Amino acid sequence: MASLDSLVIFLFSTLFVTIVSSETPCPNFKSIISFGDSIADTGNLVGLSDRNQLPVTAFPPYGETFFHHPTGRSCDGRIIMDFIAEFVGLPYVPPYFGSKNRNFDKGVNFAVARATALKSSFLKKRGIQPHTNVSLGVQLKSFKKSLPNLCGSPSDCRDMIGNALILMGEIGGNDYNFPFFDRKPVKEVEELVPFVIASISSTITELIGMGGKTFLVPGEFPIGCSVVYLTLYKTSNKDEYDPTTGCLKWLNKFGEYHSEKLKAELNRLRKLYPHVNIIYADYYNSLLRIFKEPAKFGFMDRPFPACCGIGGPYNFNFTRKCGSVGVKSCKDPSKYVGWDGVHMTEAAYKWIADGILNGPYANPPFDRSCLRSEIKKESLYNQSTLTQACVKL
């Protein structure tokens, strides 16, 4: 009996090692489906724009670091989603809009720079002027209309959606940016939060109904650290700045407020749909740690100027932005956290992605969440195999 027990233990340990060790971190993901705004846009705004009115992301120095040409990303190189694609062993996700003869078998992106979570009509009624009509709802409708071309039959589409990692943004930031840019009171902007959360939640719910099984849902950034806000709300009152980061405390507090409400809603959805993996991506703290200890991550110290811009203490000007004629970028973007005053550099995005993918800024942890369904399948198979082995003994 002792030898039999030893053999059983050996089989269990061998099978366990087989389950948890894999060269591909998330082998069950066959594609990435993305929604969101400029944080996730890989070229959709450029694809939707008139050739005579292209956004600045269509021009150098955007894209200079990695791709060596503009791609429509609001960055000098790769964005968070690109690092996620690398992590799960999939190609960079192509933009859907404006694409011709693109292969979407491994992923499709509907995120559009300037997009909002809420409908344009809703925002306009509240005196907020959106910069695009492509809201989250419009992106979802576009996705649904594209399904016959993406996957064919309803059953094939359900399988495709079920085997995909679905990225829900970041989305909602512009719903707050536009009124904050107009200096609307924070209490007025806070009133938008429940509606933004509801829009994200309803989109996730609808995608679950279409077969979605794994969602990565980012929270808000520490916007009080953003160059655009540090410029717009610059003040001589030192009490408004966090001494450990140099960021505006009240704006960061707002980012925390949104993220807490979002986390509460995701917890509610998890209880309703226990078979679905809903992963919260803590963009806030994954980025804030860089502002607290920039040298630790290879960045220059405060005041964190934009790499690409001109003028002022933060190298940013509202009338002459990155991509405009005569506006140059820094020599080494890898030393800068901010790229163009609003978005981060590839170097910063890489650290944010690392915090999400390798921890500790994902809940539940990303690697375990994305492997959960695969482990369950492997476990069922290995339990059967183990049982057969034991019977033979």
Side-chain angles (χ1 to χ4, degrees), residues 29-166:
F29 293 136
K30 295 182 179 179
S31 68
I32 293 175
I33 300 170
S34 173
F35 304 91
D37 54 25
S38 59
I39 304 301
D41 188 353
T42 54
N44 280 313
L45 182 61
V46 172
L48 288 168
S49 300
D50 186 281
R51 296 300 95 180
N52 297 319
Q53 293 182 316
L54 290 172
V56 292
T57 52
F59 303 100
Y62 284 91
E64 66 177 9
T65 296
F66 182 80
F67 300 101
H68 306 299
H69 61 85
T71 63
R73 290 167 172 79
S74 299
C75 185
D76 60 305
R78 290 164 292 181
I79 57 177
I80 296 171
M81 183 168 62
D82 294 320
F83 293 110
I84 292 173
E86 290 178 3
F87 182 84
V88 299
L90 290 170
Y92 299 132
V93 186
Y96 178 77
F97 298 107
S99 296
K100 292 182 180 180
N101 302 318
R102 281 282 183 92
N103 187 335
F104 297 114
D105 289 346
K106 300 295 183 180
V108 59
N109 187 9
F110 292 87
V112 180
R114 307 172 188 168
T116 55
L118 301 172
K119 293 180 180 179
S120 298
S121 57
F122 180 94
L123 293 171
K124 288 177 180 177
K125 287 179 181 178
R126 289 178 170 254
I128 301 166
Q129 186 59 48
H131 296 187
T132 178
N133 291 322
V134 188
S135 64
L136 180 58
V138 171
Q139 292 178 30
L140 180 61
K141 286 180 182 178
S142 298
F143 172 61
K144 291 164 74 173
K145 287 181 181 178
S146 72
L147 287 178
N149 295 324
L150 293 177
C151 46
S153 70
S155 61
D156 288 341
C157 289
R158 192 169 187 84
D159 287 342
M160 180 201 74
I161 297 170
N163 288 316
L165 171 62
I166 303 173

Side-chain angles (χ1 to χ4, degrees), residues 126-128 179 184-193 254:
R126 289 178 170 254
I128 301 166
K184 289 188 180 293
V186 65
K187 289 295 182 183
E188 187 175 326
V189 183
E190 280 181 357
E191 293 175 359
L192 295 171
V193 174
F254 177 86

Side-chain angles (χ1 to χ4, degrees), residues 194-214:
F195 298 102
V196 169
I197 302 301
S199 175
I200 296 170
S201 178
S202 64
T203 303
I204 293 172
T205 301
E206 190 159 353
L207 287 166
I208 289 173
M210 296 168 67
K213 294 179 181 177
T214 307

Side-chain angles (χ1 to χ4, degrees), residues 7-17 19 383 386 390:
L7 181 57
V8 170
I9 292 171
F10 171 77
L11 285 169
F12 264 118
S13 59
T14 302
L15 291 169
F16 176 76
V17 170
I19 293 170
Q383 284 173 13
L386 183 61
C390 290

Side-chain angles (χ1 to χ4, degrees), residues 12 21 23 51 57 67 87 210 215 218 275 294 309 317 320 322 361 379:
F12 264 118
S21 62
E23 292 183 1
R51 296 300 95 180
T57 52
F67 300 101
F87 182 84
M210 296 168 67
F215 296 82
H275 64 289
N317 189 308
R320 297 186 66 192
C322 183
Y361 300 105
S379 296

Side-chain angles (χ1 to χ4, degrees), residues 13 19 61 67 98 140 151 178 203 216 271 292 302 327 343:
S13 59
I19 293 170
F67 300 101
L140 180 61
C151 46
F178 299 148
T203 303
L216 184 65
K271 293 177 182 177
K292 288 181 177 179
R302 286 180 274 178
V327 179
H343 309 94

